[in-house]
Every structure is written in structure tokens, then in C-alpha cells.
Amino acid sequence: MADLNLREIHDFMVSIAKSAADRITSAKPTTSSSGSKKNSVDLVTETDQAVEKLISTSLRDKYPDFSFMGEETYKPGDTLTAAPTFVCDPIDGTTNFVHRYPYVSISLGLAVDRKPVVGVVYNPFTQTLYSAIKGQGAYLNETTKLPLTPPTPLETLNSCLVAVEWGSDRSGNDFTVKSETFKNLAATKENGGGMVHGLRSFGSAALNLCGVASGGLDVYWEAGCWAWDVCAGWVILQEAGGIMVDANPGNWEPRVDERRYMAVRGGEGQKEIVEEFWGLVHGNFEVGI
Ligand code: IPD
């Protein structure tokens, strides 16, 4: 990695994300929907595929020796290797996109040795850019350092705003783990719950991570999403002082492609919040195992 110019790569990734934005904002997703992947809530549109093609073509032209992993071209069995790899979700928040709810991002990360080192998350509707380079800080619109305000200590979960996502699995063990844990998080302390200030489901893993990096969200917990949903946001989170652990209790160092994640914002008390949260997780997710 020593000889990679991460700043130059970052700048190119930002320019690509911005140049792909029009394709998303001008699309008519209800008419371009091309079917579903796993089930009727796992959506993909022609725009997802077109934007990934645009991004991968530009990246391959400029960095022909780098690998590429993208949501729309992923095949079961593809793995993230140690080679420099662009990890891309062309539209993170496809359900929002289809419904014209403008909480959508292009999520473009670079992983080296399977670790995220550059992250670019761009919402083309609001023209909001989050980005980071490992060791060089995380920024909003390249100028405002993240987090947006100095982090206060994390006290207990009952002072936290927590992002969670239902994802597309709607039955089975992992659906039960999620729905029971959501109840545990919301329930009163007297009933053994976390009594969190609120649960939020915005529909974009990458933007959720940026929300935690910015400091507005305290925790984001999800299982079922993929490396392309989290790679870019991961380095933005870490550069803003946040940490990423497993959504299942016990693993403090998940892989980028582990498919189970919990992000905690910067501030004293991260370890205690993780342990309190893990104590409320109902069972264990099977995804990624
Ligand atoms: C999805 C979003 C959503 C998360 C899902 C992801 P997509 O990505 O990030 O927030 O709950 O797990 O698959 O399908 O919109 O690219």
C-alpha cells in the first residue's frame, strides 16, 4: 500500500461518484425496475446496473491492476482478496430510490489487504459528500471535519439514538433475531430493555454509517448487508473516531465481508455501549457464518 497515492485515488473516486449522479437523479425508477433478486423486497433497477457499469468502466480504465467488486456484478463465491479492490454499491438505498425518497447514496470504497482505506459516499439528491482516507480524517463535502461536533461521552443505551434496518429477510432465524432485538432495545429498563431514545431505519447502510460518523446517530446495528454497503462508510466511521464490531456478541474485529455489523460513534464509553448492546441481542445471526 505504501506506493499507492490514496489522495489521488480518493479524488478520482469523488469525481466518478459526482459524474454518475445525474444518471440517478434523472432516472424514472418505477419504469426502469428490472425485477427482484432474492424476493419481492430485494429490489434492483436498470439504473443500479447502468451506474455500476459507468463507475467500473472508469475505474478499470484508470486503475487496470486493481480488482473490482460491485453489488450488481457479484457472483456467489466471489471473495474479497488482499489486492487493492474497489468495492461499490452504485445505489445504496435502492428501495428509497424506487419510491423517490431521496435518501440514497453512491457508496464507493477501496480496500487494501481486505481493509477499507478510502471511502466515498455521495447522495446525488442532496449533493452531500462524505469521504475519508485512512490516517487523514473524515470530511463532509471535503471541508468540514467529522464528527460535526466534539463527541460527548457515550453513557448508556438509554441516551442513544440507534439506527437499525429490517433488510430483505422477512422470515427465519435472522428475522427473529432482528425483531426481538428491536423490542429489547425499545423496552423499558424495568422490563430488561435498553429504553433507547429512538430506533431509526433510513434505508441506506452507507448513509447510516456516515450518520454515526457525523455524530447524529450513536449506534448502527445490522446483519445481512454486504461489503459494498459498508466498505466506504467503514473508513469514514473510523476516521471520525468510530468503531465497527460484529452485530453478533463477542467479535470485536469483523471482516469487511462479515455481513454483520455494529458501528458506534466516537466518544468515551464505546466498549461499554457495545457490551450493553450485545447483552440485548436476542440469539445469534446465522448470516455470514
Ligand atoms: C441495502 C441498504 C439497506 C440495508 C440492506 C442493504 P441496497 O442496500 O443498505 O439499508 O438494510 O441490507 O442491502 O440494496 O439498497 O443497495
Side-chain angles (χ1 to χ4, degrees):
M1 191 172 91
D3 50 359
L4 292 182
N5 183 337
L6 295 183
R7 167 60 58 188
E8 182 192 279
I9 296 169
H10 163 278
D11 292 353
F12 189 66
M13 289 162 69
V14 168
S15 72
I16 288 184
K18 288 188 171 174
S19 69
D22 270 4
R23 295 292 286 264
I24 298 176
T25 54
S26 64
K28 307 221 170 354
T30 49
T31 56
S32 63
S33 193
S34 69
S36 66
K37 295 185 281 186
K38 178 172 60 189
N39 60 28
S40 64
V41 296
D42 189 18
L43 305 178
V44 62
T45 74
E46 287 164 9
T47 311
D48 295 66
Q49 293 158 342
V51 172
E52 181 168 313
K53 179 99 183 136
L54 189 79
I55 291 174
S56 64
T57 303
S58 305
L59 289 172
R60 284 195 172 108
D61 282 352
K62 174 103 174 157
Y63 298 103
D65 298 335
F66 288 21
S67 300
F68 181 87
M69 174 183 268
E71 174 169 25
E72 309 311 330
T73 43
Y74 170 82
K75 305 266 177 317
D78 289 354
T79 50
L80 188 61
T81 69
T85 304
F86 291 113
V87 184
C88 169
D89 187 344
I91 303 183
D92 186 44
T94 302
T95 305
N96 290 340
F97 173 61
V98 167
H99 287 265
R100 296 166 193 250
Y101 176 59
Y103 198 77
V104 163
S105 63
I106 296 168
S107 171
L108 185 53
L110 174 70
V112 177
D113 291 330
R114 301 184 185 84
K115 306 268 187 239
V117 294
V118 181
V120 169
V121 174
Y122 184 59
N123 182 335
F125 292 101
T126 59
Q127 297 174 0
T128 307
L129 172 71
Y130 299 92
S131 63
I133 301 171
K134 190 173 169 51
Q136 298 185 38
Y139 291 87
L140 170 66
N141 295 330
E142 297 191 83
T143 48
T144 307
K145 204 162 190 317
L146 300 178
L148 294 173
T149 53
T152 53
L154 287 147
E155 290 170 0
T156 60
L157 273 179
N158 72 353
S159 60
C160 287
L161 186 61
V162 176
V164 294
E165 294 286 347
W166 287 100
S168 52
D169 288 320
R170 300 298 168 84
S171 64
N173 173 78
D174 290 3
F175 183 66
T176 305
V177 176
K178 279 194 182 179
S179 38
E180 292 303 316
T181 302
F182 295 170
K183 281 196 238 168
N184 291 346
L185 290 166
T188 62
K189 299 290 256 186
E190 295 71 33
N191 288 319
M195 193 71 171
V196 297
H197 274 179
L199 293 174
R200 300 286 180 267
S201 291
F202 294 121
S204 163
L207 287 174
N208 287 341
L209 289 171
C210 294
V212 179
S214 301
L217 295 169
D218 298 295
V219 181
Y220 166 44
W221 180 79
E222 183 171 5
C225 50
W226 296 81
W228 45 80
D229 296 309
V230 300
C231 182
W234 189 307
V235 61
I236 295 167
L237 172 79
Q238 285 184 325
E239 287 301 313
I243 59 168
M244 186 78 109
V245 302
D246 199 318
N248 275 346
N251 177 15
W252 291 90
E253 291 191 15
R255 300 184 316 273
V256 178
D257 55 358
E258 194 96 37
R259 303 196 59 197
R260 305 180 309 273
Y261 312 100
M262 173 157 60
V264 178
R265 71 163 170 83
E268 272 173 50
Q270 288 171 321
K271 180 170 178 288
E272 290 76 8
I273 285 289
V274 169
E275 285 169 343
E276 187 185 353
F277 199 116
W278 277 345
L280 294 174
V281 175
H282 177 96
N284 274 288
F285 288 113
E286 290 169 351
V287 69
I289 290 176

